[in-house]
Amino acid sequence: MKQITSRENSLYKELKLLATSSQVRRKAGRTLLDGVHLCEAYQQHLGSPELCIVSDVALNDPEVSKLLELCESQHIQCISLPANLYQAVSQVEHGVGIMFLVNTPSPVLPEHVSENSVALDGLQDPGNLGSILRSAAAAGIKNVFCSSGTVFAWSPKVMRAGMGAHFLLNIFENVDLDTVLQNAHVPVFATSSHTQTTIYQADLAQPLVWLFGHEGQGVSDKLMALANMTVTIPQQAAIESLNVAASAAICFFEQVRQQSFQ
């Protein structure tokens, strides 16, 4: 295992750029997975990372040692960093001390959508996106289509909120949602406060595309016009609306409930 101690090391500089710049991550098609859980989930579902980075103070941690031994047995390059250099790269406060450098998956966009999917129009908050991905994976949804205005799905904050859900989903970014929805072979459902039909009255036992939008502005009028049906989530009148991640979770699991009775 190679030890890097200088901030001027070219590999270290590259890692720091990837850690701190979404633009660099997008352009390079690479990202950093921070923490034991994400690293284990990646190895379980997608395979080997490009590089394993460990803080020298974590070398004796049993969970870190296990992952490190596995990487070395697979001839994956491993490096150790002093604690101060590691913390300058890590986005996790008080983390365990291990990261993977990985290539971000880039699945081929399907010509037609024919299975349960989610379309996200301009979602901005990393925590919301990560929560939606986690709920989607738990509900058995396979595809997530993100518009060009949606936050980068492979950013550290989104991945931490997703808790490994990324590795169970096909995530498509910078997607023209207008084309995807027009070519969908399944109905498109959107939530709205201006409809009387609740999610409990709608037929969700069929495959469909769920459409959610920006936290403040919602789904654009152009995309909303492509929805085959709008549904509402019953709630107390004193609350204007639900958080988009909470709304998505309620919709996904009402669909799971209805499908379980088929």
Side-chain angles (χ1 to χ4, degrees), residues 140-152:
I141 292 170
K142 293 300 182 184
N143 299 319
V144 179
F145 301 96
C146 301
S147 72
S148 58
T150 295
V151 63
F152 185 44

Side-chain angles (χ1 to χ4, degrees), residues 58-79:
L59 290 173
N60 293 324
D61 182 284
E63 291 182 309
V64 172
S65 295
K66 182 180 177 181
L67 275 170
L68 187 58
E69 289 174 7
L70 180 59
C71 287
E72 290 180 329
S73 71
Q74 296 172 341
H75 305 291
I76 295 163
Q77 183 184 1
C78 301
I79 63 170

Side-chain angles (χ1 to χ4, degrees), residues 17-196:
L17 280 173
L18 286 168
T20 56
S21 172
S22 180
Q23 183 178 1
V24 170
R25 288 190 292 269
R26 286 179 184 268
K27 185 175 180 179
R30 304 156 94 196
T31 194
L32 291 166
L33 310 181
D34 202 328
V36 169
H37 178 78
L38 283 178
C39 292
E40 286 181 338
Y42 185 88
Q43 282 201 322
Q44 179 182 353
H45 298 293
L46 295 183
S48 301
E50 181 180 339
L51 176 69
C52 177
I53 307 107
V54 183
S55 170
D56 58 7
V57 298
L59 290 173
N60 293 324
D61 182 284
E63 291 182 309
V64 172
S65 295
K66 182 180 177 181
L67 275 170
L68 187 58
E69 289 174 7
L70 180 59
C71 287
E72 290 180 329
S73 71
Q74 296 172 341
H75 305 291
I76 295 163
Q77 183 184 1
C78 301
I79 63 170
S80 69
L81 300 173
N84 61 327
L85 267 64
Y86 183 91
Q87 288 303 321
V89 173
S90 174
Q91 301 294 298
V92 178
E93 189 175 357
H94 308 304
V96 175
I98 187 167
M99 287 184 282
F100 280 176
L101 173 64
V102 302
N103 293 316
T104 51
S106 53
V108 178
L109 189 70
E111 186 175 350
H112 303 288
V113 182
S114 58
E115 56 188 347
N116 285 332
S117 303
V118 184
L120 301 174
D121 177 28
L123 208 70
Q124 292 295 293
D125 185 81
N128 282 335
L129 178 54
S131 294
I132 289 174
L133 296 179
R134 189 174 180 182
S135 295
I141 292 170
K142 293 300 182 184
N143 299 319
V144 179
F145 301 96
C146 301
S147 72
S148 58
T150 295
V151 63
F152 185 44
W154 295 92
S155 71
K157 288 182 179 179
V158 176
M159 288 190 294
R160 288 200 299 276
M163 291 292 289
H166 288 69
F167 315 135
L168 299 171
L169 298 164
N170 297 317
I171 301 173
F172 305 92
E173 298 197 277
N174 299 315
V175 172
D176 178 1
L177 293 185
D178 185 82
T179 300
V180 168
L181 299 182
Q182 286 193 55
N183 293 334
H185 284 181
V186 295
V188 177
F189 277 47
T191 57
S192 171
S193 59
H194 306 295
T195 184
Q196 298 299 312

